[in-house]
């Protein structure tokens, strides 16, 4: 996906700048997802996702960080689906939430 590619490019650039092959930086501002979310918010005012589906818990975590910042920056999210709202995430974990 474009998000994964942007994360990889940013991490590769950061490592090259630090002349390292591995680096852990706990500074929240160094988080590539945070930085990319701000870039996306600078580039657009709304996103439209058609038939959006998340199957991987790591992707869900990345997207939660991304959307938190995008929404805080005022980006509007539009989604479409061929399923009724009550059928979304059918038989999923923690469905009662």
């Amino acid at each position: 996906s474009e998000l994964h590619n942007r994360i990889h490019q940013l991490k590769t650039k950061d490592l090259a700048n630090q002349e390292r092959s591995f680096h852990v930086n706990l500074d929240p501002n160094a988080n590539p997802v945070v930085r990319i979310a701000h870039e996306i918010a600078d580039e657009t005012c709304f996103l439209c996702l058609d038939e959006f589906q998340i199957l991987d818990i790591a992707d869900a975590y990345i997207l939660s960080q991304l959307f938190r910042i995008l929404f805080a920056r005022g980006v509007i999210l539009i989604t479409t689906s061929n399923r009724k709202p009550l059928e979304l995430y059918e038989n999923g974990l923690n469905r009662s939430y």
Side-chain angles (χ1 to χ4, degrees):
S1 77
E2 181 181 343
L3 180 58
H4 286 109
N5 290 337
R6 287 174 85 156
I7 291 170
H8 177 73
Q9 290 171 357
L10 191 55
K11 285 179 137 183
T12 301
K13 179 181 173 186
D14 286 350
L15 291 173
N17 289 340
Q18 297 163 6
E19 298 180 3
R20 295 180 165 185
S21 61
F22 179 78
H23 178 70
V24 174
N25 188 340
L26 300 178
D27 177 4
N29 295 320
N31 180 334
V33 177
V34 170
R35 292 161 59 193
I36 291 166
H38 287 293
E39 288 177 8
I40 292 171
D42 290 341
E43 296 168 4
T44 190
C45 58
F46 72 91
L47 293 175
C48 183
L49 305 174
D50 183 34
E51 292 298 316
F52 185 61
Q53 184 176 12
I54 302 170
L55 299 175
D56 184 286
I57 188 69
D59 287 339
Y61 180 71
I62 289 169
L63 289 172
S64 71
Q65 292 180 66
L66 179 76
F67 288 150
R68 179 176 41 85
I69 293 165
L70 293 178
F71 295 152
R73 293 278 311 268
V75 174
I76 297 167
L77 177 65
I78 301 166
T79 61
T80 64
S81 177
N82 291 332
R83 291 179 169 232
K84 296 176 185 175
L86 292 176
E87 292 176 357
L88 295 173
Y89 198 56
E90 193 171 33
N91 300 319
L93 298 173
N94 298 319
R95 183 62 175 125
S96 60
Y97 296 111

